Amino acid sequence: MNLQQLHNYLEGQTEPVCAYLYDLAHLRRRVDTLRRNLPSQCKLFYAIKANSDAPILESLLQRSDGFEVASLGEIQRVRAVDSAVPVIFGGPGKTDAELEGALEHRVTLIHVESEHQLRRLDWIARQRNQVANILLRVNPAYVPQQATLRMGGQASQFGIEEARIPALIELALSLPGVRLKGLHIHAISNNLDALTHLALLEHYFDLAEAWQRRYGLAFDWLNVGGGIGVNYAEPLAQFDWEGFCAGLSALIAARQPGFGIIFECGRFLTADCGYYLAEVTDVKSNYGKHFAILRGGSHHFRLPVSWQHNHPFVILPRDAWPYPFSRPGVHHAQITLCGELCTPKDVLARDAHVDDLRAGDCVAFLLAGAYGWHISHHDFLSHPHPDRVYLDNCIERI
Ligand SMILES: *Cc1c(COP(=O)(O)O)cnc(C)c1O
């Protein structure tokens, strides 16, 4: 999306602006480019929890290799747009009903996160005269440090610790209701560095190959998770995907792994197709600090609060000013961008420098397409929801 498209949207607005804009054409181009770089042994799935709206799923249907889901609700969201697209199902808390639902909806692979989950899945599959294709989710003993969130390499609720994997491989091989297809390792989130990500994958290859040798197995798949990052601090310095793919090709050429490699990325695919727009409804100073109040806030866009970062934004100036009195604003100042909620935590960027910002201008938060609307507490304080607009060649609202 370019700034002109954002301005075009603003033109038609009469109420204070509050909207998510998603650029589907950009999303399609982006995913096509990312896939072109990937070595042929690799599959690119989309982890839909980042943004599970139907227009996003429809846009990625033909362009990704399938969808990664983490609940029966997400399985149903995918099946609502396509009855056959490959689906892989992860998550630590799958209930019996969800495991049944997964088998019913012909999920391609189920990621097993514990011994109890493995036994329940086997039991349910056998009752249904089915065999579930599974990957065991490994919580690796070691992962590099550079990442915003860590699900592995430390004690956590995710997966099966490395030392327990041999016992679970043996158990899986003995159970008739499951078929072991390989391993799944999603240990970090928001890694910005291509070299450490490659080192991580090399380590995963080591683990998978060692267990293959030990059990005389030939895994079909190694799922290396998502976790490729988006740089919110410096939007122009993003993860070097091309360099990463070149390194991965070299790694694959050197190691010749027998298994295919699955990526299940969320943030990296959809973050930059989305913008969160909020109009400045007031500008004021309290005790020497400037504050802008927005029509919107963390109830629509919880990501900056959740990660305690200043979210990147651009200002869309607007000339119209309807009142017969002066317009509050700041010039070359540090200002804190706050939402409309009655909590001091409702801050999207703190002490950010702006050249000019006035009541009636609009702030467009960038990189808001993933983990924005979908992780937020929409009805806290009962303000109206944002307009949610999918821009394609035509404008579609949901
Ligand atoms: C959330 C999640 C993903 C996607 O993570 P991103 O950081 O958005 O790429 C992939 N796999 C699993 C198991 C997840 O929980």
Side-chain angles (χ1 to χ4, degrees):
M1 187 156 353
N2 54 37
L3 283 180
Q4 191 53 49
Q5 282 173 292
L6 297 178
H7 280 289
N8 289 349
Y9 173 80
L10 293 186
E11 296 248 306
Q13 302 304 310
T14 49
E15 293 302 307
V17 172
C18 179
Y20 270 99
L21 266 53
Y22 302 98
D23 184 346
L24 298 177
H26 175 79
L27 175 64
R28 288 193 297 264
R29 279 193 303 274
R30 171 171 178 79
V31 172
D32 287 348
T33 309
L34 297 180
R35 264 187 103 194
R36 249 196 313 279
N37 289 312
L38 262 184
S40 58
Q41 293 87 331
C42 300
K43 303 259 182 224
L44 182 59
F45 280 66
Y46 171 57
I48 78 164
K49 74 174 185 283
N51 182 337
S52 55
D53 290 342
I56 296 274
L57 303 187
E58 280 157 9
S59 298
L60 295 179
L61 199 53
Q62 309 297 335
R63 297 183 144 75
S64 65
D65 289 293
F67 297 107
E68 189 265 354
V69 300
S71 69
L72 182 54
E74 287 193 342
I75 294 175
Q76 288 159 345
R77 275 179 177 253
V78 171
R79 284 292 174 244
V81 301
D82 194 89
S83 61
V85 62
V87 176
I88 53 185
F89 181 27
K94 303 175 194 80
T95 63
D96 288 357
E98 288 184 301
L99 293 172
E100 288 224 45
L103 295 169
E104 181 83 37
H105 285 286
R106 299 168 315 284
V107 156
T108 317
L109 288 170
I110 298 179
H111 298 155
V112 171
E113 300 239 3
S114 73
E115 176 172 343
H116 184 51
Q117 205 175 77
L118 178 62
R119 290 189 190 276
R120 284 192 297 121
L121 176 58
D122 166 66
W123 182 68
I124 290 166
R126 277 194 280 157
Q127 283 169 0
R128 296 174 56 91
N129 285 323
Q130 280 180 274
V131 179
N133 289 324
I134 64 161
L135 304 183
L136 291 178
R137 178 167 183 182
V138 183
N139 178 341
Y142 151 85
V143 297
Q145 302 297 314
Q146 296 93 327
T148 312
L149 299 177
R150 288 179 53 171
M151 281 68 70
Q154 62 189 23
S156 81
Q157 68 269 51
F158 301 107
I160 301 153
E161 66 181 349
E162 242 178 79
R164 294 272 303 141
I165 290 290
L168 266 84
I169 289 178
E170 287 180 11
L171 179 60
L173 294 174
S174 75
L175 297 174
V178 298
R179 192 181 295 120
L180 179 63
K181 292 288 195 178
L183 302 176
H184 169 232
I185 317 181
H186 172 73
I188 60 172
S189 184
N190 210 43
N191 187 16
L192 295 174
D193 184 65
L195 284 179
T196 55
H197 215 77
L198 263 181
L200 186 71
L201 262 57
E202 194 167 356
H203 179 60
Y204 296 170
F205 281 25
D206 290 342
L207 291 175
E209 285 171 358
W211 284 316
Q212 284 193 128
R213 273 195 303 278
R214 177 159 167 193
Y215 291 96
L217 296 171
F219 291 143
D220 290 341
W221 300 109
L222 174 64
N223 181 332
V224 296
I228 293 175
V230 166
N231 193 346
Y232 298 103
E234 288 178 71
L236 294 178
Q238 294 300 340
F239 185 94
D240 175 15
W241 178 254
E242 266 185 48
F244 171 74
C245 288
L248 182 58
S249 291
L251 183 63
I252 289 172
R255 299 286 286 263
Q256 304 275 330
F259 41 77
I261 295 148
I262 297 174
F263 287 84
E264 43 177 23
C265 296
R267 185 184 315 277
F268 193 58
L269 302 195
T270 45
D272 90 334
C273 80
Y275 296 78
Y276 177 54
L277 269 57
E279 181 167 327
V280 178
T281 55
D282 205 347
V283 175
K284 63 191 188 185
S285 301
N286 267 341
Y287 299 105
K289 294 248 183 201
H290 299 298
F291 297 88
I293 315 297
L294 305 176
R295 167 71 256 281
S298 57
H299 48 327
H300 305 157
F301 187 45
R302 196 169 71 84
L303 176 63
V305 172
S306 159
W307 281 27
Q308 308 212 310
H309 72 205
N310 275 4
H311 206 84
F313 63 88
V314 294
I315 292 168
L316 308 173
R318 295 161 91 210
D319 291 333
W321 181 249
Y323 305 103
F325 37 83
S326 68
R327 189 172 179 178
V330 292
H331 181 61
H332 287 295
Q334 312 263 79
I335 191 164
T336 294
L337 305 182
C338 306
E340 61 199 348
L341 300 182
C342 301
T343 160
K345 301 212 180 230
D346 190 18
V347 167
L348 305 187
R350 193 176 294 282
D351 292 328
H353 175 84
V354 296
D355 289 341
D356 284 291
L357 186 64
R358 304 160 300 176
D361 288 338
C362 201
V363 178
F365 292 92
L366 313 175
L367 301 169
Y371 303 110
W373 175 251
H374 297 81
I375 64 162
S376 303
H377 44 294
H378 308 147
D379 290 320
F380 183 44
L381 261 78
S382 302
H383 286 293
H385 289 183
D387 214 3
R388 297 210 304 123
V389 181
Y390 282 88
L391 295 167
D392 209 333
N393 296 325
C394 57
I395 287 188
E396 181 187 336
R397 271 160 218 262
I398 63 169

